[in-house]
Amino acid sequence: MSAARPPEGARSSERSEEVSTKPLLELHGVHTHIAAYHILHGVDLVVPQGQVTMLLGRNGAGKSTTLRTVMGLWHASQGSVVLGGKDITAFATPQIAGLGVAYVPENMGVFADLTVKENMLLAARSAKRAEQMDAARLQWIYKMFPAVEKFWNHPAGKLSGGQKQMLAVARAIVEPRELLIVDEPSKGLAPAIIDNMINAFAELKAQGVTILLVEQNLNFARRLGDTVAVMDNGRVVHAGRMDAFAADAQLQQSLLGLAI
């Protein structure tokens, strides 16, 4: 895959290692309640600027709730969410998106009855018509996700699961972003599509985009992640370098119940 440039436009465990890069996103003691349920129990998380942070954990650990809390879809009942030094804890989702944050949920959020073009246009807030979208940026996206160009005028609901995932990520980056948040990008994808997705995220990182990914595929996490945070029971129980975590099978087994 080409490396074309885009157009201009925890609370840690005792085994955690320090991260030298300054943080873009920080969560401090975040608690989140959903109706009567207390889901997050004091999440401390640091996402270094310009790096890929993997958020791992067993099912029900609170990973997706953490992402939704960052995006303001659910609001923290205690603690703070800080983006680029700005406290965004009480911000509404549109305000957070306006700060250069894009979010791809686990269900991808693709509008099945709209074409690929129409899905992309909805995300391009600076354009009212397809012709007004940044042509150079679209060409860059096509190089990473050829299916977006190939099925441009097709209903998104007719795409395969992998193609829908590509569309969801492409839509998130149709305009320049500071932070990309993606929930389980490799879920249900074939190995060849996973490789393509990894290459795309690596290219985005090379252009300075900070990325936070929830992932269950440990091999995907190992290949792409710079830092890792592991959640359990609504808390971050380990944070550190991904390479160190990938090399410690005993730690993986104790925290996740499986090893890379």
Side-chain angles (χ1 to χ4, degrees):
M1 178 172 295
S2 67
R5 293 187 62 84
E8 291 296 330
R11 174 168 37 189
S12 307
S13 70
E14 294 180 356
R15 307 187 62 155
S16 299
E17 301 86 11
E18 288 189 22
V19 175
S20 59
T21 305
K22 68 178 182 178
L24 177 65
L25 175 69
E26 301 170 86
L27 278 67
H28 302 289
V30 168
H31 291 251
T32 298
H33 290 75
I34 303 172
Y37 299 98
H38 190 179
I39 308 299
L40 301 185
H41 298 266
V43 170
D44 293 310
L45 176 67
V46 173
V47 177
Q49 188 168 28
Q51 295 192 9
V52 178
T53 297
M54 309 302 303
L55 188 58
L56 309 180
R58 296 179 174 91
N59 287 334
K63 306 182 300 297
S64 295
T65 299
T66 298
L67 300 191
R68 292 176 68 87
T69 301
V70 170
M71 287 305 303
L73 295 165
W74 290 323
H75 286 290
S77 52
Q78 184 178 329
S80 62
V81 180
V82 179
L83 177 69
K86 180 191 296 287
D87 190 328
I88 63 169
T89 311
F91 280 27
T93 301
Q95 291 177 285
I96 296 169
L99 295 174
V101 183
Y103 170 57
V104 181
E106 184 180 357
N107 66 5
M108 296 175 278
V110 169
F111 294 98
D113 294 335
L114 300 182
T115 65
V116 169
K117 176 178 71 175
E118 289 165 340
N119 269 273
M120 293 289 285
L121 183 57
L122 281 176
R125 292 171 296 172
S126 61
K128 296 186 182 300
R129 302 189 307 274
E131 296 75 18
Q132 294 176 326
M133 285 192 282
D134 188 326
R137 191 168 187 88
L138 279 178
Q139 289 299 320
W140 174 63
I141 289 172
Y142 294 159
K143 289 179 181 179
M144 289 192 292
F145 302 115
V148 172
E149 181 177 26
K150 181 178 181 180
F151 299 105
W152 187 245
N153 291 307
H154 290 237
K158 300 292 186 181
L159 303 181
S160 69
Q163 291 163 350
K164 287 177 182 175
Q165 190 66 280
M166 290 181 187
L167 171 58
V169 175
R171 192 176 59 178
I173 60 170
V174 70
E175 293 186 348
R177 308 293 186 185
E178 292 289 329
L179 174 63
L180 178 61
I181 299 174
V182 189
D183 197 346
E184 295 203 41
S186 75
K187 185 176 181 180
L189 300 187
I193 302 297
I194 289 176
D195 287 342
N196 190 46
M197 193 68 69
I198 288 173
N199 289 338
F201 285 131
E203 186 168 325
L204 287 167
K205 173 192 163 185
Q207 309 310 330
V209 179
T210 302
I211 303 173
L212 172 61
L213 299 178
V214 162
E215 192 45 73
Q216 296 281 10
N217 185 325
L218 288 184
N219 188 51
F220 183 105
R222 176 188 61 81
R223 292 172 60 187
L224 189 61
D226 297 298
T227 61
V228 61
V230 182
M231 294 191 68
D232 188 36
N233 195 29
R235 295 181 176 87
V236 172
V237 294
H238 171 86
R241 297 296 306 175
M242 186 69 227
D243 53 4
F245 183 74
D248 193 334
Q250 183 176 355
L251 182 60
Q252 297 162 34
Q253 188 69 40
S254 67
L255 293 177
L256 300 173
L258 70 165
I260 295 174

